[in-house]
């Protein structure tokens, strides 16, 4: 394992060990997750206090002991208080946490201060009899803040190794999203590292009013289906000043989402910033009022894209991309594929420069996509011309409160 600590994989290394090596490379610069603390936090009898330290509930933080129950008990106590409560996950410790639900509603406004490191079980067998789509699952919580500058590590390499995308002979199975926020309102997630997710790293589903700042989300380029930030059926989501480098979409937006604002994002490798796919199996989808303002894309398969299935139940409108620069790994740096029955309308490009990562040429591809552009846009826009669909500038409501 010494070679792994330096991100070096010797010749003849197995697929699983290569994926582990890649994951250690992806977290270089972060605190080593192999270095366990010398001693466990002091165990203090829990009391009626507004600041709860997980060590007070029996968490050892040695990276080996199962600290799940301590996290659950700290959450339940914090959730039962009135007022504001902070749960502290202290720096310098690695807390092994198995799949766990953090449910609301809570009487208090809870802050989860992740200053240390939370690690997942390495072996997928830890999910036996449990929902394979979840690891850290927050649901039904209002006024939750997750912050602290620490790290959440999904240790997803064994999940990747058994993926049908890595080994075509394997059946395609579900894998956990590292952190899921479901039906949460007035949520803030900031100053956090999320690395080596088993599948998606962070998902917001059916959420309302979300603010996400200063995130670092990383997994190796070879990791399958590891979307960085996934937004589904959510409204009023802001993502700002973050770095996302994974094996799939940096940011994906699907399924009846609106009022999404993305600003100052470093993205790549992966598939870029994507809306869709939408409308699979004739499902109904409406995505509208999305604005990406300021992004640097590096070696992404597509820079910006919209992808829909050919159904009559899909609608995409008022989507703006401004100040987008970087490189594309494929020729199609801009790709808007929309429905024949409900074309995309109100698309807008301004100051977009996406060059080839290999020095070749790039182009745009459009299907039933209507909109306009302003300033330098490279590759050249491919919008269809229809005055009824063109908007000459970014909708003013998308520029407010950014």
């Amino acid at each position: 394992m010494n070679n792994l600590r330096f991100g070096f994989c010797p010749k003849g290394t197995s697929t699983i060990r290569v994926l582990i090596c890649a994951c250690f490379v992806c977290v270089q610069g972060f605190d080593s997750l192999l270095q366990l603390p010398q001693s466990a936090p002091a165990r203090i009898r829990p009391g009626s206090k507004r600041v709860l330290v997980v060590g007070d509930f029996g968490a050892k933080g040695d990276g080996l002991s199962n600290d799940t129950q301590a996290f659950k008990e700290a959450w339940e106590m914090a959730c039962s208080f009135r007022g504001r409560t902070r749960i502290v996950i202290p720096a310098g410790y690695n807390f092994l946490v198995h799949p766990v639900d953090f449910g609301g509603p809570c009487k208090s406004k809870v802050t989860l201060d992740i200053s240390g490191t939370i690690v997942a079980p390495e072996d997928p067998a830890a999910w036996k009899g449990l929902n394979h789509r979840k690891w850290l699952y927050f649901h039904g919580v209002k006024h939750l803040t997750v912050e602290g500058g620490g790290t959440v590590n999904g240790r997803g390499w064994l999940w990747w190794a058994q993926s049908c995308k890595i080994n075509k002979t394997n059946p395609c199975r579900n894998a956990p999203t590292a952190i899921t926020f479901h039906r949460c309102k007035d949520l803030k997630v900031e100053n956090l590292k999320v690395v080596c997710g088993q599948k998606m790293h962070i998902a917001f589903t059916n959420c309302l009013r979300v603010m996400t700042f200063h995130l670092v989300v990383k997994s190796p380029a070879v990791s399958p289906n590891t979307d960085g930030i996934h937004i589904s059926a959510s409204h009023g989501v802001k993502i700002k000043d973050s770095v996302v480098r994974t094996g799939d979409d940096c940011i994906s937006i699907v399924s009846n989402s609106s009022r999404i604002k993305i600003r100052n994002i470093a993205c790549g490798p992966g598939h870029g910033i994507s809306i869709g796919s939408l409308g699979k199996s004739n499902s109904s989808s409406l995505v509208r009022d999305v604005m990406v303002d300021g992004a640097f894309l590096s070696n992404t398969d597509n820079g910006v894209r919209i992808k829909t299935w050919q159904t009559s139940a899909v609608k995409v409108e008022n989507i703006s991309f401004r100040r987008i620069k970087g490189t594309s790994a494929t020729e199609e740096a801009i790709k808007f594929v929309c429905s024949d029955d409900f074309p995309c309308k109100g698309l807008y490009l301004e100051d977009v420069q996406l060059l080839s990562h290999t020095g070749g040429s790039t182009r745009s591809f459009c299907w039933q996509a209507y909109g306009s552009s302003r300033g330098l846009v490279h590759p050249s826009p491919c919008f269809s011309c229809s005055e009824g669909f063109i908007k000459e500038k970014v909708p003013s409501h998308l520029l407010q409160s950014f």
Side-chain angles (χ1 to χ4, degrees), residues 129-147:
L130 302 174
N131 189 330
H132 281 206
R133 294 179 180 269
K134 304 173 184 176
W135 175 34
L136 306 178
Y137 182 63
F138 298 86
H139 58 96
V141 187
K142 294 182 180 180
H143 302 289
L144 171 64
T145 298
V146 181
E147 60 184 16

Side-chain angles (χ1 to χ4, degrees), residues 49-261:
K49 55 184 180 181
R50 292 296 190 261
V51 178
L52 308 176
V53 183
V54 291
D56 295 351
F57 297 82
K60 290 182 168 53
D62 59 10
L64 300 173
S65 303
N66 186 346
D67 291 325
T68 310
Q69 187 61 32
F71 274 60
K72 290 175 67 174
E73 291 178 8
W75 175 265
E76 289 167 4
M77 181 173 284
C79 199
S80 67
F81 279 129
R82 295 190 181 275
R84 295 182 180 272
T85 308
R86 178 177 292 267
I87 302 172
V88 177
I89 299 164
Y93 300 98
N94 297 308
F95 297 92
L96 173 61
V97 177
H98 285 235
V100 60
D101 284 11
F102 299 106
C106 293
K107 295 179 180 178
S108 61
K109 296 180 179 180
V110 179
T111 295
L112 187 62
D113 181 346
I114 304 176
S115 297
T117 297
I118 301 174
V119 297
E122 290 188 79
D123 190 347
W127 275 259
K128 185 177 181 179
L130 302 174
N131 189 330
H132 281 206
R133 294 179 180 269
K134 304 173 184 176
W135 175 34
L136 306 178
Y137 182 63
F138 298 86
H139 58 96
V141 187
K142 294 182 180 180
H143 302 289
L144 171 64
T145 298
V146 181
E147 60 184 16
T151 300
V152 174
N153 188 336
R155 301 203 291 184
W157 42 81
L158 291 180
W159 291 95
W160 307 336
Q162 70 180 19
S163 167
C164 60
K165 288 194 173 183
I166 296 293
N167 186 340
K168 301 297 185 183
T169 65
N170 287 339
C172 292
R173 304 182 179 95
N174 292 323
T177 296
I179 309 177
T180 302
F181 299 96
H182 180 65
R183 295 192 181 279
C184 293
K185 294 182 180 180
D186 300 301
L187 169 66
K188 182 183 293 185
V189 183
E190 60 180 342
N191 192 23
L192 197 66
K193 303 180 186 75
V194 184
V195 302
C196 296
Q198 302 94 329
K199 194 173 181 181
M200 294 180 183
H201 287 74
I202 303 173
F204 302 106
T205 64
N206 297 90
C207 289
L208 179 63
R209 296 185 295 273
V210 176
M211 298 180 68
T212 303
F213 303 143
H214 304 296
L215 297 186
V216 174
V217 181
K218 288 190 177 183
S219 278
V222 296
S223 57
N225 297 318
T226 51
D227 289 29
I229 301 173
H230 181 73
I231 302 168
S232 174
S234 294
H235 309 280
V237 179
K238 297 180 181 180
I239 301 171
K240 185 177 178 182
D241 300 334
S242 296
V243 176
V244 185
R245 306 191 187 283
T246 67
D248 209 288
D249 293 329
C250 293
I251 300 174
S252 54
I253 305 167
V254 303
S255 183
N256 302 311
S257 295
S258 68
R259 305 192 311 280
I260 311 300
K261 300 179 181 180

Side-chain angles (χ1 to χ4, degrees), residues 207-389:
C207 289
L208 179 63
R209 296 185 295 273
V210 176
M211 298 180 68
T212 303
F213 303 143
H214 304 296
L215 297 186
V216 174
V217 181
K218 288 190 177 183
S219 278
V222 296
S223 57
N225 297 318
T226 51
D227 289 29
I229 301 173
H230 181 73
I231 302 168
S232 174
S234 294
H235 309 280
V237 179
K238 297 180 181 180
I239 301 171
K240 185 177 178 182
D241 300 334
S242 296
V243 176
V244 185
R245 306 191 187 283
T246 67
D248 209 288
D249 293 329
C250 293
I251 300 174
S252 54
I253 305 167
V254 303
S255 183
N256 302 311
S257 295
S258 68
R259 305 192 311 280
I260 311 300
K261 300 179 181 180
I262 300 164
R263 186 170 186 176
N264 295 340
I265 301 296
C267 164
H271 296 170
I273 299 173
S274 299
I275 296 173
S277 57
L278 305 173
K280 188 175 183 179
S281 301
N282 290 318
S283 60
S284 175
S285 290
L286 167 61
V287 174
R288 61 178 301 166
D289 296 340
V290 176
M291 180 177 179
V292 181
D293 185 0
F296 180 79
L297 310 181
S298 176
N299 195 25
T300 58
D301 287 349
N302 300 103
V304 293
R305 65 175 176 172
I306 298 172
K307 47 181 180 174
T308 70
W309 294 81
Q310 286 299 328
T311 79
S312 59
V314 175
K315 200 169 186 180
V316 178
E317 59 187 22
N318 295 347
I319 312 295
S320 301
F321 296 97
R322 304 174 67 228
R323 300 189 299 130
I324 313 294
K325 302 183 187 301
T327 59
S328 173
T330 62
E331 186 177 356
E332 290 180 349
I334 299 173
K335 189 172 185 178
F336 299 145
V337 181
C338 304
S339 167
D340 287 334
D341 295 307
F342 284 97
C344 299
K345 62 180 182 179
L347 306 184
Y348 180 79
L349 297 173
E350 179 181 336
D351 190 15
V352 176
Q353 299 179 52
L354 293 173
L355 307 177
S356 169
H357 183 74
T358 60
S361 60
T362 57
R363 64 187 179 94
S364 300
F365 177 82
C366 294
W367 183 266
Q368 295 293 355
Y370 296 86
S372 64
S373 64
R374 178 177 293 176
L376 176 63
V377 176
H378 180 86
S380 299
C382 53
F383 295 133
S384 300
C385 293
S386 174
E387 290 297 326
F389 287 143

